[in-house]
Amino acid sequence: MKFFLDTANIEEIKRINGLGLVDGVTTNPTIIAREGRDFETVIKEICALVEGPVSAEVISLETDGMVNEAREIAQWADNIVVKIPMTEAGLAAVHILNKVGIKTNVTLIFSVAQGLMAAKAGATYISPFVGRLDDIGVSGINLVVELRQVLDKYGLKSEIIAASIRNIEHVEATALAGSHIATIPGSLFPKLWTHPLTDNGIAQFMMDWAEFSK
Ligand code: G3P
């Protein structure tokens, strides 16, 4: 499973990228707003730091507006993916953008039907929101399992980006569910490589070594 970073924070991206763990980056309007910096500037900086795909989301809700924004954003860097909301207008935009070779990530997917629509329209990536489904008492992981089954069954080319990932269990379960990618918040990432027993083990080794070498 590939790891994308779900952040627009340059320091977080540099830190995790330094470990060779960043296969791509996803952003959304909330994530960009959190940084308080110019959208285009931030996205271009991220694209220069990361080799893999970088998702930048359109703001328009109409097809023409989405397509125009997408054409503009796609020129910012070679590794841009344009994020499009899962609506009828969004599907029409994805269909048009697919034909002109602009990669898309259809976001805010909450059902197998929506994922299937986006994949059929030509989305490069489809993003089910795992945590937000869990919030309403529906299994987000089960959606990832079922989306993977449907994509494989019909040979659809879209890749799943498990999004709205909130904890280590989500990362592990999406990997087991066969998600192609999980997009992980910068604050969660360090928790993936830590374990209290690892820390205790190191402390014990250091104590024993200090005692031995007195
Ligand atoms: O990738 C989507 C993500 O940013 C949404 O996460 O935690 O706001 O549901 P969350």
Side-chain angles (χ1 to χ4, degrees), residues 6 26 28 31 83 129 132 163-166 183:
D6 200 22
T26 52
N28 61 35
I31 286 172
K83 216 167 174 187
F129 273 37
R132 290 192 196 185
S164 186
I165 295 288
R166 307 266 178 80
T183 191

Side-chain angles (χ1 to χ4, degrees), residues 39 56-58 68-77 80-82:
F39 179 36
E57 189 158 343
V58 297
N68 290 339
E69 273 187 67
R71 285 182 185 277
E72 164 73 22
I73 292 170
Q75 287 174 14
W76 293 350
I80 285 280
V81 171
V82 180

